[in-house]
Amino acid sequence: MAEKKIFTEDDLRATSAPNAVSMQTLRARKEAQFSKDRANGLYDLDRYEKLGATPCKDGKAGEYSCNKVDLQAFLRHQDTGSQARAGNDIWGWTDSSSGREFALLGQADGTAFVEVLKDGSLRYAARLPTQTDDSTWRDIKVIGNHAYIGSEAADHGMQVFDLKKLLKADPKNPPTYSISSDLAAHFDGFGSSHNLVAHEEVNMIYAVGTQRSLKCRAGLWAVDVSNPRNPQDAGCAADDGYVHDAQCVIYNGPQTAYQGKHNH
């Protein structure tokens, strides 16, 4: 007996989006707002005061709103070596051997690494500069002990960084790593990307929002990172055009035709 489809292709095909706004338009609006904020001094040196652990009192922890949540620690972008003093993303990594925890901060001019100490305080550990130019958008994902870093900056590609290096960083003299000699690898199949998606089960990174002029047409660009020091182009899912974000799983649902396959 033929399997009955739960959803037909027509069910899954977008037919109308009268209120949709293109990504180019949204990006232009965001960049205009960022420029306005910069002109108003929101990214100025010492614009924000240093803060240690601060209890939530009367809805405030320092200058920040709160609701029954205390502020454990606060680092300004300038405290992590960023000259741009602006960021957009944060990810994390825990060393399985020592239990040490690190926050990975995506900033306009690179990636900062901050250790989260046992008492909840923060300690700047190191930074990795952007591969090319500054960009408002920088995204980081982690598989195993490696960070994968993409950016909207032109010709940036994907940086692959061995996070074990952080365990040897001197907190009294936080290093700035070299983009030529300290990377585990650099994947240059694409230049800019909006976001990276990690599929840990199969050691795959998917870049989304790459250049529309390239082969993946800003859709899913698969990179096999089974060997982090030698990432391999694993093809595209380009039929739907621009992809902004994704979740990747191995399907285990009711439709047997797709069971055990990668789905995005």
Side-chain angles (χ1 to χ4, degrees):
M1 179 182 294
E3 178 182 3
K4 181 180 179 180
K5 288 187 177 181
I6 298 175
F7 299 105
T8 68
E9 291 182 2
D10 287 338
D11 291 329
L12 300 175
R13 184 179 294 117
T15 57
S16 177
N19 298 315
V21 179
S22 72
M23 281 309 303
Q24 293 96 320
T25 299
L26 287 174
R27 176 171 178 164
R29 291 179 182 177
K30 290 180 179 180
E31 290 180 335
Q33 183 62 54
F34 296 149
S35 295
K36 182 178 179 181
D37 292 342
R38 190 170 290 105
N40 289 334
L42 269 65
Y43 307 125
D44 286 357
L45 190 67
D46 295 327
R47 166 63 177 78
Y48 305 96
E49 62 178 287
K50 285 187 174 182
L51 278 178
T54 307
C56 179
K57 185 177 180 181
D58 299 326
K60 287 285 185 178
E63 65 177 293
Y64 303 103
S65 298
C66 60
N67 182 14
K68 300 178 181 178
V69 176
D70 295 334
L71 179 68
Q72 289 295 100
F74 173 70
L75 279 182
R76 303 168 297 179
H77 286 297
Q78 71 185 64
D79 299 326
T80 63
S82 173
Q83 299 299 308
R85 298 182 293 278
N88 74 297
D89 190 48
I90 186 167
W91 208 251
W93 173 68
T94 300
D95 175 49
S96 59
S97 299
S98 66
R100 293 174 66 183
E101 296 180 296
F102 292 85
L104 287 53
L105 313 181
Q107 299 172 325
D109 51 353
T111 304
F113 304 99
V114 174
E115 186 165 6
V116 183
L117 302 177
K118 298 298 183 183
D119 63 358
S121 60
L122 302 174
R123 183 170 65 194
Y124 171 48
R127 72 178 292 103
L128 177 69
T130 180
Q131 195 70 21
T132 52
D133 301 322
D134 289 7
S135 171
T136 302
W137 289 275
R138 187 173 310 279
D139 195 67
I140 310 160
K141 293 297 184 295
V142 171
I143 296 180
N145 294 320
H146 288 81
Y148 300 88
I149 305 166
S151 172
E152 289 265 17
D155 300 320
H156 185 279
M158 183 175 71
Q159 297 170 315
V160 185
F161 181 76
D162 185 350
L163 294 164
K164 287 283 189 179
K165 282 180 173 286
L166 301 178
L167 303 179
K168 298 180 180 179
D170 181 0
K172 295 181 180 179
N173 186 27
T176 295
Y177 294 113
S178 167
I179 60 173
S180 58
S181 61
D182 284 316
L183 292 179
H186 177 250
F187 180 80
D188 62 0
F190 53 81
S192 65
S193 61
H194 181 73
N195 200 354
L196 299 178
V197 181
H199 194 176
E200 294 93 339
E201 290 180 90
V202 294
N203 291 308
M204 198 77 73
I205 292 287
Y206 295 92
V208 298
T210 56
Q211 302 101 300
R212 289 175 171 82
S213 60
L214 298 181
K215 66 174 186 176
C216 295
R217 297 167 51 201
L220 290 158
W221 193 314
V223 183
D224 184 343
V225 294
S226 299
N227 179 357
R229 295 187 175 275
N230 187 26
Q232 296 293 308
D233 190 326
C236 302
D239 290 346
D240 291 328
Y242 179 87
V243 174
H244 190 73
D245 202 350
Q247 180 181 13
C248 300
V249 299
I250 295 178
Y251 183 76
N252 190 29
Q255 294 181 287
T256 57
Y258 301 101
Q259 289 175 357
K261 296 182 179 180
H262 300 188
N263 286 266
H264 316 98

